[in-house]
Structure formats: C-alpha cells, structure tokens
mmCIF file of all heavy atoms in Angstrom:
data_model
loop_
_atom_site.group_PDB
_atom_site.id
_atom_site.type_symbol
_atom_site.label_atom_id
_atom_site.label_comp_id
_atom_site.label_asym_id
_atom_site.label_seq_id
_atom_site.Cartn_x
_atom_site.Cartn_y
_atom_site.Cartn_z
ATOM 1 N N GLY H 1 7.109 -1.136 6.047
ATOM 2 C CA GLY H 1 6.560 -1.584 4.771
ATOM 3 C C GLY H 1 5.912 -2.956 4.848
ATOM 4 O O GLY H 1 5.320 -3.427 3.874
ATOM 5 N N ARG H 2 5.998 -3.585 6.000
ATOM 6 C CA ARG H 2 5.488 -4.954 6.116
ATOM 7 C C ARG H 2 4.049 -5.014 6.622
ATOM 8 O O ARG H 2 3.403 -6.048 6.516
ATOM 9 C CB ARG H 2 6.395 -5.772 7.035
ATOM 10 C CG ARG H 2 7.739 -6.098 6.392
ATOM 11 C CD ARG H 2 8.461 -7.167 7.187
ATOM 12 N NE ARG H 2 8.999 -6.640 8.434
ATOM 13 C CZ ARG H 2 10.231 -6.164 8.546
ATOM 14 N NH1 ARG H 2 11.027 -6.151 7.500
ATOM 15 N NH2 ARG H 2 10.676 -5.723 9.701
ATOM 16 N N SER H 3 3.563 -3.916 7.162
ATOM 17 C CA SER H 3 2.180 -3.884 7.644
ATOM 18 C C SER H 3 1.369 -2.940 6.786
ATOM 19 O O SER H 3 1.759 -1.779 6.592
ATOM 20 C CB SER H 3 2.137 -3.424 9.101
ATOM 21 O OG SER H 3 2.813 -4.338 9.943
ATOM 22 N N THR H 4 0.274 -3.455 6.264
ATOM 23 C CA THR H 4 -0.600 -2.643 5.430
ATOM 24 C C THR H 4 -2.031 -2.747 5.938
ATOM 25 O O THR H 4 -2.419 -3.755 6.534
ATOM 26 C CB THR H 4 -0.539 -3.093 3.965
ATOM 27 O OG1 THR H 4 -0.860 -4.494 3.887
ATOM 28 C CG2 THR H 4 0.850 -2.872 3.377
ATOM 29 N N TYR H 5 -2.795 -1.709 5.668
ATOM 30 C CA TYR H 5 -4.162 -1.620 6.148
ATOM 31 C C TYR H 5 -5.029 -1.080 5.023
ATOM 32 O O TYR H 5 -4.590 -0.219 4.258
ATOM 33 C CB TYR H 5 -4.239 -0.687 7.367
ATOM 34 C CG TYR H 5 -3.241 -1.041 8.444
ATOM 35 C CD1 TYR H 5 -1.954 -0.515 8.401
ATOM 36 C CD2 TYR H 5 -3.577 -1.903 9.463
ATOM 37 C CE1 TYR H 5 -1.023 -0.846 9.379
ATOM 38 C CE2 TYR H 5 -2.659 -2.239 10.444
ATOM 39 C CZ TYR H 5 -1.382 -1.713 10.394
ATOM 40 O OH TYR H 5 -0.458 -2.050 11.361
ATOM 41 N N TYR H 6 -6.251 -1.598 4.956
ATOM 42 C CA TYR H 6 -7.141 -1.206 3.867
ATOM 43 C C TYR H 6 -8.561 -0.967 4.369
ATOM 44 O O TYR H 6 -9.022 -1.619 5.314
ATOM 45 C CB TYR H 6 -7.192 -2.304 2.796
ATOM 46 C CG TYR H 6 -5.863 -2.571 2.150
ATOM 47 C CD1 TYR H 6 -5.030 -3.583 2.606
ATOM 48 C CD2 TYR H 6 -5.438 -1.791 1.070
ATOM 49 C CE1 TYR H 6 -3.797 -3.816 2.014
ATOM 50 C CE2 TYR H 6 -4.204 -2.024 0.476
ATOM 51 C CZ TYR H 6 -3.392 -3.036 0.958
ATOM 52 O OH TYR H 6 -2.173 -3.260 0.367
ATOM 53 N N ALA H 7 -9.231 -0.059 3.698
ATOM 54 C CA ALA H 7 -10.665 0.084 3.903
ATOM 55 C C ALA H 7 -11.344 -1.158 3.340
ATOM 56 O O ALA H 7 -10.885 -1.744 2.355
ATOM 57 C CB ALA H 7 -11.179 1.334 3.200
ATOM 58 N N ASP H 8 -12.438 -1.541 3.945
ATOM 59 C CA ASP H 8 -13.156 -2.734 3.483
ATOM 60 C C ASP H 8 -13.566 -2.608 2.017
ATOM 61 O O ASP H 8 -13.592 -3.594 1.276
ATOM 62 C CB ASP H 8 -14.389 -2.967 4.347
ATOM 63 C CG ASP H 8 -14.045 -3.451 5.742
ATOM 64 O OD1 ASP H 8 -12.901 -3.928 5.951
ATOM 65 O OD2 ASP H 8 -14.916 -3.354 6.629
ATOM 66 N N SER H 9 -13.865 -1.399 1.595
ATOM 67 C CA SER H 9 -14.364 -1.187 0.238
ATOM 68 C C SER H 9 -13.313 -1.445 -0.842
ATOM 69 O O SER H 9 -13.659 -1.631 -2.011
ATOM 70 C CB SER H 9 -14.899 0.240 0.093
ATOM 71 O OG SER H 9 -13.882 1.178 0.384
ATOM 72 N N VAL H 10 -12.040 -1.459 -0.462
ATOM 73 C CA VAL H 10 -10.984 -1.661 -1.465
ATOM 74 C C VAL H 10 -10.164 -2.915 -1.226
ATOM 75 O O VAL H 10 -9.305 -3.268 -2.038
ATOM 76 C CB VAL H 10 -10.037 -0.435 -1.531
ATOM 77 C CG1 VAL H 10 -10.837 0.847 -1.738
ATOM 78 C CG2 VAL H 10 -9.161 -0.343 -0.281
ATOM 79 N N LYS H 11 -10.425 -3.579 -0.112
ATOM 80 C CA LYS H 11 -9.643 -4.767 0.241
ATOM 81 C C LYS H 11 -9.760 -5.813 -0.862
ATOM 82 O O LYS H 11 -10.844 -6.106 -1.342
ATOM 83 C CB LYS H 11 -10.149 -5.308 1.573
ATOM 84 C CG LYS H 11 -9.163 -6.157 2.325
ATOM 85 C CD LYS H 11 -9.670 -6.446 3.728
ATOM 86 C CE LYS H 11 -9.736 -5.202 4.578
ATOM 87 N NZ LYS H 11 -10.149 -5.490 5.980
ATOM 88 N N GLY H 12 -8.622 -6.366 -1.249
ATOM 89 C CA GLY H 12 -8.594 -7.360 -2.308
ATOM 90 C C GLY H 12 -8.467 -6.777 -3.699
ATOM 91 O O GLY H 12 -8.209 -7.506 -4.663
ATOM 92 N N ARG H 13 -8.649 -5.474 -3.829
ATOM 93 C CA ARG H 13 -8.546 -4.822 -5.134
ATOM 94 C C ARG H 13 -7.381 -3.838 -5.191
ATOM 95 O O ARG H 13 -6.768 -3.663 -6.247
ATOM 96 C CB ARG H 13 -9.843 -4.073 -5.464
ATOM 97 C CG ARG H 13 -11.062 -4.941 -5.517
ATOM 98 C CD ARG H 13 -12.283 -4.161 -6.040
ATOM 99 N NE ARG H 13 -12.648 -3.052 -5.165
ATOM 100 C CZ ARG H 13 -12.703 -1.781 -5.559
ATOM 101 N NH1 ARG H 13 -12.404 -1.465 -6.804
ATOM 102 N NH2 ARG H 13 -13.058 -0.829 -4.709
ATOM 103 N N PHE H 14 -7.085 -3.176 -4.082
ATOM 104 C CA PHE H 14 -6.019 -2.176 -4.022
ATOM 105 C C PHE H 14 -4.845 -2.737 -3.223
ATOM 106 O O PHE H 14 -5.026 -3.505 -2.273
ATOM 107 C CB PHE H 14 -6.514 -0.903 -3.327
ATOM 108 C CG PHE H 14 -7.510 -0.092 -4.115
ATOM 109 C CD1 PHE H 14 -8.135 -0.589 -5.250
ATOM 110 C CD2 PHE H 14 -7.835 1.187 -3.706
ATOM 111 C CE1 PHE H 14 -9.046 0.161 -5.963
ATOM 112 C CE2 PHE H 14 -8.756 1.959 -4.406
ATOM 113 C CZ PHE H 14 -9.366 1.440 -5.526
ATOM 114 N N THR H 15 -3.656 -2.296 -3.609
ATOM 115 C CA THR H 15 -2.444 -2.692 -2.889
ATOM 116 C C THR H 15 -1.560 -1.470 -2.671
ATOM 117 O O THR H 15 -1.218 -0.772 -3.629
ATOM 118 C CB THR H 15 -1.651 -3.748 -3.663
ATOM 119 O OG1 THR H 15 -2.480 -4.895 -3.906
ATOM 120 C CG2 THR H 15 -0.423 -4.192 -2.872
ATOM 121 N N ILE H 16 -1.206 -1.229 -1.429
ATOM 122 C CA ILE H 16 -0.288 -0.135 -1.102
ATOM 123 C C ILE H 16 1.104 -0.714 -0.917
ATOM 124 O O ILE H 16 1.271 -1.813 -0.366
ATOM 125 C CB ILE H 16 -0.752 0.630 0.159
ATOM 126 C CG1 ILE H 16 0.102 1.872 0.372
ATOM 127 C CG2 ILE H 16 -0.752 -0.272 1.388
ATOM 128 C CD1 ILE H 16 -0.432 2.797 1.478
ATOM 129 N N SER H 17 2.098 0.017 -1.393
ATOM 130 C CA SER H 17 3.480 -0.417 -1.234
ATOM 131 C C SER H 17 4.362 0.820 -1.154
ATOM 132 O O SER H 17 3.924 1.929 -1.468
ATOM 133 C CB SER H 17 3.913 -1.309 -2.399
ATOM 134 O OG SER H 17 3.846 -0.605 -3.624
ATOM 135 N N SER H 18 5.594 0.602 -0.733
ATOM 136 C CA SER H 18 6.516 1.739 -0.627
ATOM 137 C C SER H 18 7.909 1.321 -1.053
ATOM 138 O O SER H 18 8.276 0.143 -0.984
ATOM 139 C CB SER H 18 6.540 2.283 0.801
ATOM 140 O OG SER H 18 7.008 1.292 1.705
ATOM 141 N N ASP H 19 8.641 2.304 -1.516
ATOM 142 C CA ASP H 19 10.034 2.113 -1.909
ATOM 143 C C ASP H 19 10.847 3.154 -1.167
ATOM 144 O O ASP H 19 10.877 4.318 -1.568
ATOM 145 C CB ASP H 19 10.168 2.261 -3.428
ATOM 146 C CG ASP H 19 11.564 1.938 -3.911
ATOM 147 O OD1 ASP H 19 12.521 2.017 -3.117
ATOM 148 O OD2 ASP H 19 11.705 1.617 -5.104
ATOM 149 N N ASN H 20 11.473 2.743 -0.086
ATOM 150 C CA ASN H 20 12.212 3.696 0.746
ATOM 151 C C ASN H 20 13.397 4.305 -0.002
ATOM 152 O O ASN H 20 13.785 5.446 0.269
ATOM 153 C CB ASN H 20 12.676 3.027 2.026
ATOM 154 C CG ASN H 20 11.556 2.867 3.032
ATOM 155 O OD1 ASN H 20 10.387 3.131 2.722
ATOM 156 N ND2 ASN H 20 11.876 2.414 4.223
ATOM 157 N N ALA H 21 13.954 3.564 -0.924
ATOM 158 C CA ALA H 21 15.089 4.091 -1.683
ATOM 159 C C ALA H 21 14.662 5.250 -2.581
ATOM 160 O O ALA H 21 15.465 6.131 -2.898
ATOM 161 C CB ALA H 21 15.726 2.986 -2.509
ATOM 162 N N LYS H 22 13.399 5.239 -2.992
ATOM 163 C CA LYS H 22 12.894 6.290 -3.885
ATOM 164 C C LYS H 22 11.996 7.286 -3.156
ATOM 165 O O LYS H 22 11.440 8.194 -3.784
ATOM 166 C CB LYS H 22 12.111 5.668 -5.043
ATOM 167 C CG LYS H 22 12.965 4.808 -5.963
ATOM 168 C CD LYS H 22 12.141 4.278 -7.119
ATOM 169 C CE LYS H 22 13.003 3.461 -8.073
ATOM 170 N NZ LYS H 22 12.223 2.938 -9.218
ATOM 171 N N ASN H 23 11.815 7.103 -1.855
ATOM 172 C CA ASN H 23 10.913 7.970 -1.084
ATOM 173 C C ASN H 23 9.534 8.056 -1.741
ATOM 174 O O ASN H 23 8.955 9.142 -1.871
ATOM 175 C CB ASN H 23 11.494 9.375 -0.929
ATOM 176 C CG ASN H 23 12.593 9.433 0.111
ATOM 177 O OD1 ASN H 23 13.124 8.409 0.513
ATOM 178 N ND2 ASN H 23 12.940 10.642 0.530
ATOM 179 N N THR H 24 9.030 6.914 -2.139
ATOM 180 C CA THR H 24 7.783 6.892 -2.899
ATOM 181 C C THR H 24 6.858 5.799 -2.351
ATOM 182 O O THR H 24 7.310 4.713 -2.008
ATOM 183 C CB THR H 24 8.055 6.622 -4.389
ATOM 184 O OG1 THR H 24 8.902 7.666 -4.897
ATOM 185 C CG2 THR H 24 6.764 6.615 -5.187
ATOM 186 N N VAL H 25 5.591 6.130 -2.298
ATOM 187 C CA VAL H 25 4.567 5.157 -1.933
ATOM 188 C C VAL H 25 3.609 5.026 -3.112
ATOM 189 O O VAL H 25 3.365 6.001 -3.835
ATOM 190 C CB VAL H 25 3.833 5.574 -0.643
ATOM 191 C CG1 VAL H 25 3.101 6.887 -0.819
ATOM 192 C CG2 VAL H 25 2.902 4.483 -0.169
ATOM 193 N N TYR H 26 3.130 3.821 -3.313
ATOM 194 C CA TYR H 26 2.279 3.514 -4.456
ATOM 195 C C TYR H 26 0.923 2.987 -3.999
ATOM 196 O O TYR H 26 0.787 2.438 -2.913
ATOM 197 C CB TYR H 26 2.947 2.452 -5.337
ATOM 198 C CG TYR H 26 4.326 2.810 -5.797
ATOM 199 C CD1 TYR H 26 5.450 2.346 -5.115
ATOM 200 C CD2 TYR H 26 4.514 3.615 -6.920
ATOM 201 C CE1 TYR H 26 6.731 2.672 -5.537
ATOM 202 C CE2 TYR H 26 5.787 3.951 -7.346
ATOM 203 C CZ TYR H 26 6.886 3.481 -6.653
ATOM 204 O OH TYR H 26 8.145 3.816 -7.069
ATOM 205 N N LEU H 27 -0.033 3.155 -4.882
ATOM 206 C CA LEU H 27 -1.338 2.539 -4.674
ATOM 207 C C LEU H 27 -1.746 1.894 -5.996
ATOM 208 O O LEU H 27 -2.093 2.585 -6.946
ATOM 209 C CB LEU H 27 -2.388 3.556 -4.226
ATOM 210 C CG LEU H 27 -3.745 2.957 -3.861
ATOM 211 C CD1 LEU H 27 -3.628 2.102 -2.592
ATOM 212 C CD2 LEU H 27 -4.798 4.041 -3.673
#
C-alpha cells in the first residue's frame, strides 16, 4: 500500500488507496 503509480493524465488528480482489513481498493 506504500507504492502507488499513476498515468500521467491523472497524476495529481487521482489517488489510489487500499484497505487490507476491508479487502477494498479505492480510486
């Protein structure tokens, strides 16, 4: 969860995150 990668077109606007306790990833 500490390394994230983005397409140039969304960098600075989108954020990906995850919650392992909930088995869920967010955008």
